[in-house]
């Protein structure tokens, strides 16, 4: 004889991955149509030292393109007419919100991990020619990543680190060096090596990225 009161105003939402790439500074372009080509200088002129009255060898800068093509992503949910009529929760908005959030999570997941083949976009972890370091748990590993970008003259823009929750937990308990008396790789202000450290559980285990996040291009 005891009724159950459905507290629809206290609906418990699903725990979802946090979206971070736009916060980190990724470049997002909206309203695109068709194919997109971004011009890029891939090389510069060559400089020579020459003797008096000698000729200089001719050289030119070189350019190429970074291309983007549309990919399609979608999700489908079915619910009955009776549920729509009888539910004490706004079922249509609940479904719409769930679909939008799940699609947003998958967009970020592919921006990180996408293979670039078939119907998948290319994520930055699968871009060829990116510097790699052998470690990911010591303070020196993160300094080495900074040094690699600086060596390539790329230490500029919206710089930061990206990792998942498990790796952040490890770095919170890893000292920068022996005898530092509790000074850990992951600082209390959310930085590593003076740069903001971002968190995404779309990142693989035992992997960290140091990047100029504004160079990540996401087109809609």
């Amino acid at each position: 004889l005891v009724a159950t009161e459905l507290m629809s105003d206290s609906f418990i939402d699903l725990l979802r991955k946090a979206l971070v790439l736009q916060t980190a500074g990724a470049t997002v372009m909206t309203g695109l149509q068709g194919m997109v080509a971004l011009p890029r200088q891939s090389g510069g002129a060559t400089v020579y030292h020459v003797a008096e009255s000698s000729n200089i060898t001719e050289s030119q800068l070189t350019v190429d393109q970074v291309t983007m093509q549309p990919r399609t992503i979608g999700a489908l949910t079915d619910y009955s007419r009776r549920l729509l009529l009888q539910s004490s929760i706004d079922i249509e908005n609940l479904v719409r919100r769930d679909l939008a959030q799940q699609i947003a999570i998958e967009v970020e997941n592919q921006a990180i991990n996408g293979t670039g083949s078939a119907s998948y976009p290319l994520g930055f972890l699968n871009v060829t020619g990116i510097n790699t370091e052998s470690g990911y748990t010591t303070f020196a590993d993160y300094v080495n990543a900074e040094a690699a970008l600086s060596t390539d003259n790329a230490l500029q823009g919206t710089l930061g680190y990206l990792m998942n929750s498990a790796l952040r937990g490890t770095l919170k308990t890893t000292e920068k060096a022996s005898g530092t008396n509790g000074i850990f790789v992951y600082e209390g202000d959310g930085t590593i090596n003076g740069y903001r450290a971002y968190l995404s559980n779309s990142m693989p285990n035992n992997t960290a990225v140091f990047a100029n996040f504004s160079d990540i291009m996401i087109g809609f």
Side-chain angles (χ1 to χ4, degrees):
L1 299 177
V2 179
T4 298
E5 181 180 356
L6 180 65
M7 302 183 67
S8 56
D9 57 341
S10 299
F11 182 82
I12 302 172
D13 202 357
L14 178 69
L15 297 177
R16 306 174 193 267
K17 294 178 181 179
L19 305 179
V20 71
L21 287 183
Q22 291 190 45
T23 302
T27 301
V28 178
M29 298 173 289
T30 60
L32 301 179
Q33 296 181 357
M35 304 299 183
V36 176
L38 306 173
R40 174 181 63 182
Q41 182 174 343
S42 56
T46 303
V47 177
Y48 297 92
H49 290 268
V50 294
E52 183 70 19
S53 301
S54 298
N55 294 325
I56 300 176
T57 303
E58 181 182 349
S59 63
Q60 291 85 25
L61 62 84
T62 56
V63 295
D64 61 10
Q65 293 180 338
V66 177
T67 59
M68 302 176 70
Q69 60 177 324
R71 311 284 187 172
T72 301
I73 187 173
L76 175 66
T77 296
D78 181 38
Y79 57 90
S80 71
R81 172 180 172 275
R82 180 169 293 181
L83 176 61
L84 180 63
L85 293 174
Q86 293 184 317
S87 174
S88 58
I89 298 176
D90 187 345
I91 191 67
E92 183 171 349
N93 281 338
L94 176 65
V95 169
R96 285 177 180 269
R97 183 180 66 181
D98 176 68
L99 291 174
Q101 290 176 329
Q102 292 299 100
I103 289 174
I105 289 170
E106 180 61 12
V107 167
E108 178 151 306
N109 179 56
Q110 292 303 318
I112 295 173
N113 300 293
T115 61
S117 60
S119 59
Y120 293 93
L122 180 62
F124 59 77
L125 289 182
N126 291 313
V127 173
T128 58
I130 291 180
N131 291 306
T132 58
E133 297 295 326
S134 58
Y136 47 83
T137 56
T138 70
F139 184 65
D141 296 330
Y142 293 86
V143 174
N144 289 342
E146 176 194 35
L149 258 66
S150 183
T151 300
D152 289 340
N153 302 313
L155 196 65
Q156 56 188 331
T158 53
L159 297 165
Y161 297 96
L162 181 65
M163 66 199 64
N164 67 17
S165 299
L167 182 53
R168 181 181 67 172
T170 299
L171 299 178
K172 279 188 170 185
T173 58
T174 302
E175 286 190 304
K176 284 187 175 181
S178 59
T180 54
N181 297 320
I183 300 177
F184 300 108
V185 176
Y186 188 95
E187 302 278 2
D189 60 355
T191 63
I192 298 175
N193 188 30
Y195 299 96
R196 176 77 182 273
Y198 297 96
L199 188 70
S200 173
N201 284 331
S202 290
M203 284 287 293
N205 290 328
N206 303 327
T207 301
V209 167
F210 181 62
N212 170 16
F213 287 98
S214 62
D215 280 344
I216 299 172
M217 315 294 290
I218 302 175
F220 291 103

